[in-house]
Amino acid sequence: MTGPATTALPPRTTSRRTVLRGATAAGMLLAGGVPLAACGRQPVSASAGPTGPPRRGGRLRVGMVGAGKGESFDPSLAANALINTAMSCAVFDPLLTMGSDGGLRPMLATSWTSDSTASVWTFRLRKGVTWHDGKDFTAADVLYSLKWMAKPGNGLALNVADVDLDKVSASGPYTVVVPLKSPNLLFPYSLATASVVQRGAEDFTRPVGTGPFSFVSLDPGQQAVCARNPAYWDPGKPYLDELVFLSVKDDFARLNALLSGQTDVMAQVPFTQARSQLVGDVRLIRSLGVTAQAFYMATDKAPFDDVRVRRALRLIVDRKQLVDVALFGFGTVGNDLYGKGLEYYDDSLPQRTRDLIEAKALLAEAGHGRGLTLKLQTSTVAPGMVEAATLFQQQAKDAGVDIAISQVDPTSYFDPTRDYLKMPFAQTLWQGMTTLGDVYNASVVSKAPYGETHWSDRRTDELVATATAAPDAAAARSAWAAVQRQQYDSGGYIWWGNVDNLDAVSNRVGGLTPNRYQNLGLPTGLNEAYFAS
Amino acid sequence: MSALLKTYSPRRVPFGAALRRRTPKTLSGRIGLALLVLTLTVALLGPLCTPYSPDRTVGIPFAGPTAGHPLGLDFLGRDVLSRVLSGGLSVVLYAGVATLAAYAVGLTVGLLAGYSRSWLEPLLMRLTDVLLAFPALVFLLLLATAFGRGITGVVIATALIQLPPIVRIVRSAALEQSLRGYVEAAVARGEGTLSVLRREILPNIARPVAADAGLRFSWSVLLIAGVNFLGLGLQPPAADWGLMVSENRGGIALNPSSMLVAAALLGALTLAINLLGDALAGGTE
Amino acid sequence: MTATLVPTAAPTSPSSFGSRHPLARVALRRIAGGILTLFVLSVLVFLATSVLPGDAASAILGKQATPDAVAELRHAMGLDRPLVVQYGKWLAGLLHGDLGNTAAGYAAGGRSGVWDQISGKLGNSLVLAATVFVPVLLLSLVLGVLTALRAGRWLDHLVTTVTLVPAALPEFVLGTVLLAVFFTWLDILPPVSFVAPGASPFATPETLVLPVLTLVGVTVGPATRMIRAGMQEALLSDPVAVARLNGISEARVVRRYALRNALAPSIQVFALIAQYLVGGLLIVEDLFGYPGIGKELVDAVTVHDNLEVQSVTMLLATFYVAVTIAADLLVMAVVPKLRTGGTS
């Protein structure tokens, strides 16, 4: 479900803007959309859920989009699917996480400080925390975890890419010193959501964590069960006795399960259903996430190596129609840059809109005046993606561009050993990124691991490096403005829409609120969930 | 369908007379014929008379019927009538191709196995047994993986799944005929194997084979629709009755016709073939 | 998986057997043939799964797949060994009842057995199949015989219409309609068939109703028609004609002669239904979220877990072959004529 971004990079919340966004989202709790009376059931109305203090106890059943055999508690596979993220967040804790105010919040670390150049970080660990098997949590576990994350193939490797692993050390059982290869003011964000595992842990078929819930069972493609960790370090939390993740691949079955009371929470509500099918005693949680969808062009492959073709295609897209139809209005138009709402995102660039005349002129200039035939590779990896491809195909016809749509197996769409990163013209979805540094280091610099557009430009690399290690906000802002201007003018992405995250919850369940970061308020959203009396 | 009719038309009878003789006598047979004509007409001629482009978004998703869009709009705001009209061709086409391909191979192998008395027969039948024991689902999934999601793998898988039963039916029919006197007479006259198969045996097994081909076709329709439903077959934005049902399931409360019309046509097509097959089978007694 | 039932021709019977050969000899020969079939199939399925592009290592690692990580996982799974060695190891394990380990288990850093992974789902599928099989057997037998006796009358037309209409619909259409009626509209049945791992589906019988109704709906029609055809043929057979000529009452003719002659084709019909029901009811499982072997197989194929695909395929094929042989033997047991020669 998630794009490449979530894989490797910790989705982080950072800016103060988040707070405002969150508030807006809360006010936007959707009211049913198109009203309809479906056979006696009433459409959902805006509702904040149950009131009153949280109550302890109960068994929360969460219907999640299934990932089949890929379902795992292994934190290194967490970003492969939302269900994996939810599972590993239940059993494991990171050192720190993002609070609802957008700032960092202590988890296994109680404090973190850096030297004056932001190149050596010191983390003080929480005392008295025990693993689910009764052992004490100490600095040794953190040291092991950092090295474990850095292993090739570990999904968290990029989180610790900055860390100078050989020099990481513990000073005492509850203090870890982490030197970096280059200064980074925002380094702690890299460790938010990166789960800490127990020293020596390699087998995650029976995971042992420090998290709010302990592992009970996992049947991939069917269900995962976790039980309350009575010894959790956060007093009183979690409220639930048991947490059950039900893997339901079919969207209609997932919705029906919620409507019939077979589940209490439905993660990832498809847009059509959010618009018209949530009826009865349930509410929609609409979060304005940092999630966006794009078409992307490999800038080193013909005809996309011609900047005029890229510009023309960007002008052909009718973003409003894509958002209204493919996202059913659950989103906002994009401006060919990822990261709207993030710190240093350049809001001053004019919103790009459809301009067929200019597009045709550019195509003619590039030698495609008689028409252009392209192949767009799409997949059902995210809701609205195939629909967007279909619409884009229609819109392109108006400019004499013939797009053939080829649908790719969703399980291998983001598999770099298959066609991912080799497709000249395809679609992507990025989510959960919270600093521009992560975004551009992952996607646009020359050695970016997810360089979908094959962008390779020394000036870009320098600008991104300068911006990431910027000593102060003003320098960072101007460096990021230059990076974004370049991408806005000639990049290979067509970021057409920012997408809302949608979940639905029974009104008996409280504690789940819209969250900037990801569906279900993850990583810590489920710690707050409770059943109303 | 052409395969069915072609194999079915008897050799030395004028077409008109044949047609009259084949017109079902029973009510259910006539209903079947009427339904078949109706659904085939929609499927084959429909794509020529769509009021809108079936792929174009013309309004709000799942909008109800209006004067301009008598069946309303689908999940992407496309005209349902236009999609219904264009969505039958693929159903008939791919099921037809799969059935034809299965029969082209099945008829050859079955005739050879049924007529030849050599080592070929047990070998062919043993291979057929193996194919038959190969679970259909595994066939479909493996071919879908091999060819990528798309209709090619599905058509091949459907043909392969149909093959073993066809071989068996043709074989037992041919075997039965090969023991008859007229075949022996032909062999005595010095006719070659190919000639015997083509001129003596084939015309005489045409009836059961044609009845079976009809059923296989309707079965192929259902199978391919099911695979399309699972998302392994035909891919959006293709307009296809089976695909329309699965895509528009979510709109059943908003614009039921976005799903139900396609479902009804799909059902009518297979029902028609079943009724007609019954009537024809009944007529032989 | 199969969208509907279509009669396959009766399986080949041994073409000629002397009357002194007892049924046991036939049985032995058929079983030997079945084993040979399964052996050839095992080679086929092994090759087919092995030559497909993509492997479990990269599929499960997903976006984390790096050449090193993939190579390491491939080595752990034994995928880097020669095909012949892999095949030999798999087959030897299979014969000892060891189905190997799942790719997902390797990817999570541990081991989890294929059998542990599939046994529950296989059980769920068998429960669903049995729950469908019994009513289909009874209904189609009663309706088939009844319509054959009343061929051409209104009862025949009524039953034919009522049973054929649902059978003409694809499973997912019928299932969707039933969902709309019994859940969306009447709200009396659960829409999703959750079955907890390790629990019996019978513990929550209401979750079985919609899948069973759908499957009975698509199966009863064709089954009834086949039984009806067999019965009609029996009614026209020589022994029945002779009995009638001898002035035996029609009721007695039906009971003593026709039903008996219709038994053989009916057994084949029920064998077909059993094979269809156990062949992987993917669409119904998908529609109702029922944790059965069809869905399990799809998940396994999706991540290229070849070992599991191969093992499940062999289990299903073994069931298929066993049912075929059992049905043939049963037919021979009830119709002694077949034992003494002739082809069916």
Side-chain angles (χ1 to χ4, degrees):
Chain A
M1 265 298 131
T2 56
T6 36
T7 313
L9 297 151
R12 308 154 201 172
T13 316
T14 140
S15 75
R16 266 123 294 183
R17 243 179 228 126
T18 314
V19 190
L20 298 172
R21 292 265 173 205
T24 324
M28 279 163 64
L29 272 173
L30 183 88
V34 179
L36 89 147
C39 308
R41 290 166 186 274
Q42 289 304 307
V44 284
S45 53
S47 154
T51 49
R55 188 178 66 91
R56 261 230 39 216
R59 181 170 185 263
L60 189 76
R61 298 154 304 169
V62 187
M64 312 272 313
V65 178
K69 301 274 172 199
E71 287 165 22
S72 171
F73 277 91
D74 185 344
S76 76
L77 300 173
N80 276 2
L82 187 72
I83 187 168
N84 285 3
T85 309
M87 278 155 59
S88 68
C89 287
V91 169
F92 295 95
D93 282 327
L95 282 177
L96 41 93
T97 188
M98 294 86 54
S100 53
D101 60 353
L104 292 172
R105 207 181 80 186
M107 295 287 281
L108 290 178
T110 49
S111 74
W112 46 94
T113 50
S114 74
D115 63 354
S116 57
T117 60
S119 43
V120 179
W121 288 81
T122 305
F123 294 84
R124 294 197 193 287
L125 306 183
R126 194 176 293 279
K127 291 173 187 158
V129 175
T130 53
W131 293 95
H132 297 152
D133 61 4
K135 291 183 187 150
D136 285 332
F137 161 75
T138 64
D141 296 310
V142 178
L143 294 185
Y144 174 81
S145 293
L146 290 173
K147 288 184 177 143
W148 170 77
M149 287 175 203
K151 280 188 190 167
N154 190 308
L156 300 164
L158 278 182
N159 297 45
V160 290
D162 279 352
V163 176
D164 194 350
L165 279 172
D166 296 335
K167 298 194 182 138
V168 171
S169 62
S171 62
Y174 295 103
T175 307
V176 177
V177 180
V178 183
L180 302 183
K181 292 172 190 159
S182 62
N184 188 347
L185 271 171
L186 301 178
F187 172 69
Y189 286 97
S190 297
L191 294 183
T193 76
S195 296
V196 174
V197 300
Q198 195 174 29
R199 183 163 44 128
E202 276 184 344
D203 177 356
F204 293 97
T205 51
R206 298 193 63 81
V208 174
T210 56
F213 296 92
S214 59
F215 168 82
V216 174
S217 69
L218 167 66
D219 294 79
Q222 202 170 352
Q223 69 172 36
V225 181
C226 308
R228 184 173 191 270
N229 172 11
Y232 194 53
W233 52 264
D234 194 356
K237 301 268 180 65
Y239 301 112
L240 303 164
D241 283 338
E242 205 175 35
L243 189 55
V244 182
F245 297 110
L246 292 152
S247 161
V248 191
K249 215 169 164 189
D250 186 88
D251 288 339
F252 298 94
R254 211 161 69 254
L255 173 72
N256 283 337
L258 175 75
L259 297 184
S260 66
Q262 290 176 293
T263 57
D264 309 300
V265 180
M266 172 191 184
Q268 291 175 305
V269 181
F271 306 120
T272 40
Q273 298 183 353
R275 172 66 67 219
S276 59
Q277 287 162 278
L278 283 176
V279 287
D281 199 21
V282 296
R283 66 184 189 278
L284 185 73
I285 297 184
R286 179 179 182 176
S287 315
L288 210 75
V290 196
T291 306
Q293 284 204 29
F295 302 103
Y296 64 85
M297 306 167 272
T299 53
D300 57 349
K301 299 230 171 85
F304 308 113
D305 52 352
D306 188 329
V307 68
R308 289 169 298 196
V309 172
R310 302 202 292 270
R311 280 185 190 148
L313 285 169
R314 285 169 154 191
L315 291 169
I316 284 169
V317 182
D318 181 347
R319 292 148 212 266
K320 177 90 171 41
Q321 191 191 35
L322 287 181
V323 170
D324 285 349
V325 177
L327 304 183
F328 281 73
F330 290 105
T332 53
V333 294
N335 200 23
D336 294 338
L337 293 172
Y338 177 86
K340 187 171 171 64
L342 295 186
E343 196 71 60
Y344 308 131
Y345 176 84
D346 194 348
D347 269 320
S348 66
L349 293 167
Q351 173 64 46
R352 190 162 277 147
T353 52
R354 197 173 201 220
D355 187 344
L356 285 180
I357 297 166
E358 176 70 14
K360 281 182 189 162
L362 282 166
L363 285 174
E365 223 177 283
H368 304 293
R370 294 209 176 151
L372 180 61
T373 302
L374 302 170
K375 188 175 101 168
L376 174 65
Q377 283 168 286
T378 184
S379 184
T380 51
V381 285
M385 201 175 256
V386 175
E387 288 86 340
T390 312
L391 287 167
F392 188 27
Q393 181 188 40
Q394 286 299 316
Q395 295 169 0
K397 272 186 196 161
D398 298 339
V401 177
D402 212 354
I403 296 179
I405 293 179
S406 151
Q407 203 161 340
V408 179
D409 183 0
T411 54
S412 63
Y413 196 68
F414 286 125
D415 179 351
T417 62
R418 302 286 292 279
D419 285 342
Y420 179 55
L421 302 181
K422 298 177 194 87
M423 299 185 277
F425 190 30
Q427 276 172 290
T428 192
L429 169 124
W430 284 52
Q431 71 175 44
M433 311 291 292
T434 43
T435 66
L436 289 185
D438 296 339
V439 176
Y440 286 92
N441 279 312
S443 64
V444 170
V445 300
S446 300
K447 285 185 181 156
Y450 306 108
E452 293 164 331
T453 61
H454 301 189
W455 185 264
S456 182
D457 182 77
R458 192 169 296 160
R459 183 168 160 256
T460 312
D461 298 352
E462 286 166 11
L463 284 171
V464 171
T466 313
T468 310
D472 61 73
R477 183 170 302 281
S478 72
W480 282 123
V483 171
Q484 291 176 89
R485 179 84 219 183
Q486 189 187 28
Q487 289 298 311
Y488 178 81
D489 286 339
S490 48
Y493 279 108
I494 308 174
W495 290 106
W496 56 265
N498 304 305
V499 189
D500 296 344
N501 292 327
L502 304 175
D503 304 303
V505 187
S506 157
N507 279 334
R508 287 174 295 121
V509 177
L512 287 172
T513 47
N515 179 299
R516 172 96 226 194
Y517 166 45
Q518 225 171 357
N519 291 71
L520 296 178
L522 292 172
T524 55
L526 292 172
N527 305 12
E528 315 287 332
Y530 63 90
F531 281 99
S533 9
Chain B
M1 280 319 288
S2 59
L4 191 157
L5 296 174
K6 204 160 123 200
T7 335
Y8 202 60
S9 45
R11 304 230 132 194
R12 294 164 204 89
V13 185
F15 185 69
L19 201 64
R20 267 195 303 284
R21 219 170 69 191
R22 301 295 171 223
T23 307
K25 306 287 185 295
T26 58
L27 177 66
S28 63
R30 288 195 176 139
I31 294 176
L33 186 65
L35 280 179
L36 187 69
V37 171
L38 175 83
T39 46
L40 283 184
T41 310
V42 174
L44 300 177
L45 302 180
L48 302 175
C49 38
T50 55
Y52 297 87
S53 158
D55 294 341
R56 180 157 288 269
T57 297
V58 290
I60 303 161
F62 290 133
T66 57
H69 307 283
L71 296 180
L73 306 181
D74 79 346
F75 80 113
L76 278 182
R78 299 170 296 193
D79 182 47
V80 173
L81 178 64
S82 301
R83 287 184 75 76
V84 163
L85 287 174
S86 3
L89 187 61
S90 55
V91 172
V92 175
L93 184 73
Y94 294 124
V97 168
T99 315
L100 247 168
Y103 252 96
V105 180
L107 207 58
T108 317
V109 175
L111 281 174
L112 279 177
Y115 181 72
S116 95
R117 286 279 170 279
S118 64
W119 51 270
L120 202 61
E121 194 262 343
L123 181 74
L124 286 175
M125 295 322 288
R126 190 51 73 198
L127 278 177
T128 310
D129 281 350
V130 173
L131 271 188
L132 205 54
F134 209 118
L137 176 60
V138 179
F139 250 137
L140 275 166
L141 293 172
L142 291 185
L143 282 161
T145 313
F147 288 86
R149 277 153 199 257
I151 199 69
T152 324
V154 173
V155 169
I156 295 174
T158 307
L160 276 175
I161 294 165
Q162 307 268 33
L163 187 58
I166 293 176
V167 169
R168 293 199 143 167
I169 281 174
V170 174
R171 174 191 165 270
S172 51
L175 188 65
E176 204 189 346
Q177 295 298 325
S178 69
L179 302 171
R180 298 271 170 96
Y182 73 93
V183 175
E184 283 168 15
V187 175
R189 278 201 306 275
E191 281 192 39
T193 303
L194 271 183
S195 164
V196 172
L197 285 177
R198 197 170 56 81
R199 295 177 54 161
E200 309 296 336
I201 293 185
L202 196 56
N204 282 294
I205 64 167
R207 178 176 274 273
V209 161
D212 179 66
L215 280 179
R216 302 262 157 232
F217 173 75
S218 76
W219 189 83
S220 299
V221 167
L222 292 179
L223 180 75
I224 294 177
V227 179
N228 287 342
F229 163 78
L230 292 172
L232 296 170
L234 212 56
Q235 298 296 338
D240 174 273
W241 291 343
L243 216 51
M244 285 178 70
V245 176
S246 43
E247 299 177 327
N248 293 314
R249 274 189 298 158
I252 193 150
L254 289 171
N255 180 20
S257 56
S258 63
M259 174 199 141
L260 291 180
V261 178
L265 281 167
L266 207 53
L269 178 62
T270 53
L271 184 65
I273 295 163
N274 279 297
L275 289 176
L276 210 57
D278 265 8
L280 291 174
T284 61
E285 281 160 21
Chain C
M1 179 62 233
T2 48
T4 188
L5 272 176
V6 148
T8 44
T12 42
S13 307
S15 50
S16 96
F17 269 82
S19 54
R20 57 211 154 83
H21 294 297
L23 195 58
R25 281 290 287 276
V26 186
L28 278 178
R29 235 185 104 157
R30 292 301 311 274
I31 290 170
I35 290 173
L36 183 68
T37 303
L38 289 174
F39 174 72
V40 177
L41 187 80
S42 74
V43 177
L44 261 182
V45 78
F46 183 84
L47 284 178
T49 44
S50 302
V51 299
L52 281 183
D55 64 35
S58 62
I60 289 185
L61 288 173
K63 292 161 261 170
Q64 270 88 64
T66 59
D68 286 352
V70 169
E72 195 179 317
L73 198 53
R74 281 180 62 89
H75 178 71
M77 294 168 66
L79 289 175
D80 52 351
R81 296 155 88 183
L83 276 188
V84 183
V85 177
Q86 289 185 44
Y87 174 77
K89 192 163 173 279
W90 169 59
L91 194 67
L94 212 56
L95 293 176
H96 290 95
D98 173 16
L99 305 190
N101 293 320
T102 64
Y106 284 110
R111 303 282 177 272
S112 66
V114 169
W115 177 249
D116 296 337
Q117 178 63 37
I118 62 170
S119 55
K121 279 141 192 181
L122 210 54
N124 290 344
S125 280
L126 284 175
V127 165
L128 181 58
T131 319
V132 175
F133 188 72
V134 174
V136 167
L137 186 127
L138 295 174
L139 268 175
S140 60
L141 214 50
V142 170
L143 293 176
V145 170
L146 218 59
T147 49
L149 293 174
R150 299 277 182 281
R153 312 255 194 95
W154 67 267
L155 182 73
D156 183 21
H157 291 305
L158 181 75
V159 170
T160 304
T161 314
V162 168
T163 56
L164 270 190
V165 168
L169 294 171
E171 286 158 341
F172 68 93
V173 175
L174 182 63
T176 305
V177 171
L178 289 174
L179 258 180
V181 172
F182 289 103
F183 170 65
T184 312
W185 181 36
L186 296 175
D187 200 7
I188 50 174
L189 287 173
V192 185
S193 308
F194 289 120
V195 179
S200 161
F202 287 131
T204 46
E206 68 278 5
T207 61
L208 276 172
V209 179
L210 284 177
V212 168
L213 271 184
T214 308
L215 288 169
V216 170
V218 296
T219 333
V220 159
T224 303
R225 265 155 34 103
M226 286 187 270
I227 303 270
R228 176 180 176 274
M231 185 67 188
Q232 265 192 313
E233 203 168 297
L235 283 170
L236 296 170
S237 66
D238 291 347
V240 170
V242 171
R244 277 186 182 137
L245 285 176
N246 283 341
I248 298 173
S249 76
E250 187 64 20
R252 209 177 139 86
V253 169
V254 170
R255 268 204 315 275
R256 289 289 302 273
Y257 299 94
L259 277 179
R260 203 167 182 183
N261 279 322
L263 202 55
S266 304
I267 290 172
Q268 299 291 7
V269 171
F270 295 130
L272 270 178
I273 295 173
Q275 288 165 342
Y276 157 74
L277 289 174
V278 177
L281 302 168
L282 178 59
I283 291 175
V284 167
E285 289 170 10
D286 204 66
L287 193 61
F288 298 105
Y290 188 85
I293 199 71
K295 191 175 165 295
E296 177 67 23
L297 199 53
V298 173
D299 286 347
V301 171
T302 306
V303 298
H304 307 279
D305 190 341
N306 291 350
L307 205 54
E308 187 176 335
V309 174
Q310 291 154 5
S311 299
V312 174
T313 305
M314 289 313 292
L315 281 177
L316 294 181
T318 307
F319 178 84
Y320 182 93
V321 169
V323 168
T324 308
I325 294 173
D328 285 359
L329 294 178
L330 208 57
V331 168
M332 283 184 228
V334 298
V335 189
K337 190 183 73 177
L338 290 175
R339 255 180 287 166
T340 57
T343 52
S344 64

